[in-house]
Amino acid sequence: MTEFTTRPEILGTFGVVTSTHWIASAVGMAILEKGGNAFDAAVATGFVLQIVEPHLCGPGGDMPAVFYSKKTDKVEVICAQGPAPAGATIEHYTSEGLKLIPGDGLLSTVIPGAFDGWMLMLRDYGTMTVREVLEPAIYYAEHGHPVLPRVSNTIKGLAEFFRKEWPTSYETWLPGGVAPEALSNFRNPVLAETYKRIISESEAKSGREEQVQAARDAFYRGFVAEAIDTYLKTAEVMDASGSKHKGVLTADDMANWSATIEAPQTLDYQDWTIAKTPAWGQGPVLLQSLALLKGFNLEAMDPAGPDFVHTVVEAMKLAFADREVYYGDPEFSQIPTEYLLSEGYNSERRKLIGSTASMELRPGTVPGYERQVDATMAMLAEMSGTGTVYEPTMSHLTEKRGDTVHIDVIDRWGNMVSTTPSGGWLQSSPIVPGLGFALNSRAQMFWLKEGLPTSLAPGKRPRTTLTPSLALHQGKPSMVFGTPGGDQQDQWQLPFFLRYAHHGKNLQASIDMPLFHTSHFPGSFYPRTSSPGEIMVESNIGEAALEDLRRRGHKVTVADPWTVGRLTAARRDADGLLRAAATPRLMQAYAIGR
């Protein structure tokens, strides 16, 4: 008898699209139906997610993608993570009386990267025009879309703050002074006009690639950059620090930056090869966790049992401790990623995984990096507990639910895309007048201490949590997967992948299984708090397993069933059969295919 799953694993041969919102997935599938490829579909899906999940991503945010192009026969990464502006110096921020960069407002803004990343993907790998990929987003911005209950609650929770402190956001999100009710029809006509003008400027050029370049110019060197520059010259707004601050981003910063294509970071695990972003994202932490887990017989463990949860959590604690010390923009620091992934290093680290839960943050020591380890640990000790718990969705004022979106697409030719767009949340920054969107708050991931890979510096990329995944099976690109969730992204992807690789469960069954994560290490978001030894586990793992984990010393927080994680995944089998799945949690994500 086939194992029951909350939804069918979608099967087909033509194409599959899965994302964190059903409308966005339907748009991506429509693009495939019109003859577009996986890249065209991902771009259109991404722009629609900005409209229907505005509390989780926006045009002013960022976008990493890991993808396989049949044409180039290569797995590559798009880095659309904007760096810190020229004026973003530690001296300036500390002179403003800050010890940490706030999680919202204008000082926390880096160069918006998402738009350029999408256009780079469209130009170099897609087949469609700017108009074709933007029109679905314009439709929903202009004609409306059903407001998610979480969006409604977020806006209601921020209504008074917006009215008093961020009037441009009040005007956009509370039209007529009223917050939208859950599932009511909501429009953002100003953003629709922004995208229409970008199309108009692109179509002043002839030739598809020239039109895409004109759209990039309109955003980064044209009217969009000018509107941002004009606003930031005078705007001074309240942020999480409790004071008003001005931003430092300028039109010059935007004009001189563009998204890049890079090689992925990879690790071989059994007959799989996992491809992730380099260490400017947290992607290698999943690879490090797998390198540690190579020494355990996971196949013999119950994939929903306490041995499995304990072993995976303890491996993740070690990998995330290394993330704190070593990860950062490789263009500014020597990141010893190959050493961190080596068998010699991990065979020693593996010995630290014992039968009880560790309460310590235990980074490894890479030769030559001793001073960096000491400096990081000293700073973390000094910074621990500076402020109340606060995450990107302003939980001091409103409910917090996730912080980004995810898309996986595979087309009939075998192109595949995994991308995790984020930033530019409606609650991260005020709406820029005349544009209909907010800037990002990604600079909060920098430290205001000199000499670390994640120290704030002009031109440096923040070490983000955005971490899409692509897996090759027996050397052939096979699976794309990912999830929103900040520091939890790789923590939810890891058990999903292990259950799929070791336990013979299909994509949907692997997603449906009880999830867990730890908050043992410092969070990436302001104010960077940690909870040593704490794990959150969905209750449907069973009381016996929860009690066993407590006996091992874990501080267990029990989550309601179906409340942890937002995973999606798609796969192409060796014979060309396509598969896709999406989590039932939050009742939003959807997989479509035929």
Side-chain angles (χ1 to χ4, degrees), residues 381-555:
E382 180 192 335
M383 288 293 170
S384 64
T386 48
T388 54
V389 173
Y390 173 89
E391 288 234 352
T393 40
M394 293 180 85
S395 60
H396 64 314
L397 297 173
T398 185
E399 68 165 27
K400 185 219 177 271
R401 289 287 190 279
D403 63 345
T404 183
V405 298
H406 187 77
I407 303 163
D408 297 305
V409 188
I410 305 178
D411 64 26
R412 62 190 186 271
W413 301 287
N415 297 303
M416 51 188 75
V417 181
S418 175
T419 177
T420 312
S422 186
W425 308 296
L426 72 85
Q427 60 276 41
S428 65
S429 186
I431 290 284
V432 180
L435 295 181
F437 67 83
L439 295 168
N440 61 78
S441 51
R442 193 59 71 186
Q444 67 183 293
M445 296 181 164
F446 288 114
W447 292 107
L448 296 177
K449 292 272 179 185
E450 298 282 4
L452 304 172
T454 45
S455 302
L456 177 67
K460 185 189 277 190
R461 291 171 286 187
R463 195 277 301 145
T464 75
T465 54
L466 306 175
T467 176
S469 299
L470 187 149
L472 299 91
H473 188 243
Q474 296 175 347
K476 292 191 171 67
S478 178
M479 186 162 70
V480 279
F481 57 99
T483 176
D487 291 304
Q488 286 82 50
Q489 288 177 32
D490 282 315
Q491 298 196 66
W492 296 334
Q493 291 181 64
L494 180 63
F496 158 76
F497 174 75
L498 293 169
R499 287 159 169 171
Y500 187 77
H502 287 294
H503 297 283
K505 295 184 175 293
N506 72 25
L507 294 178
Q508 191 64 51
S510 301
I511 285 173
D512 285 352
M513 292 192 75
L515 278 168
F516 54 90
H517 62 264
T518 178
S519 47
H520 177 80
F521 49 85
S524 297
F525 298 95
Y526 177 90
R528 320 296 290 268
T529 52
S530 60
S531 306
E534 188 171 310
I535 60 171
M536 179 174 277
V537 189
E538 286 182 311
S539 63
N540 41 330
I541 200 167
E543 192 49 51
L546 293 168
E547 196 46 51
D548 188 307
L549 291 165
R550 290 187 189 104
R551 271 199 304 273
R552 297 177 196 228
H554 296 281
K555 297 176 185 174

Side-chain angles (χ1 to χ4, degrees), residues 17-98:
V17 180
T18 179
S19 84
T20 47
H21 196 291
W22 67 93
I23 287 176
S25 297
V27 164
M29 194 67 204
I31 294 287
L32 294 182
E33 297 284 4
K34 287 175 185 163
N37 66 16
F39 303 104
D40 300 314
V43 174
T45 304
F47 279 113
V48 167
L49 285 171
Q50 297 172 2
I51 311 298
V52 299
E53 294 199 278
H55 60 318
L56 304 177
C57 71
D62 29 43
M63 184 278 278
V66 56
F67 60 92
Y68 170 72
S69 163
K70 192 77 177 160
K71 185 171 72 178
T72 64
D73 194 28
K74 273 189 197 169
V75 175
E76 294 175 296
V77 166
I78 286 179
C79 177
Q81 174 52 64
T89 64
I90 289 175
E91 297 75 33
H92 175 68
Y93 282 58
T94 52
S95 74
E96 296 274 313
L98 297 171

Side-chain angles (χ1 to χ4, degrees), residues 129-132 198-206 211 214:
T129 63
V130 175
R131 176 181 289 278
E132 286 171 307
I198 287 173
I199 289 172
S200 167
E201 296 201 9
S202 80
E203 290 180 343
K205 302 283 183 186
S206 57
Q211 288 184 356

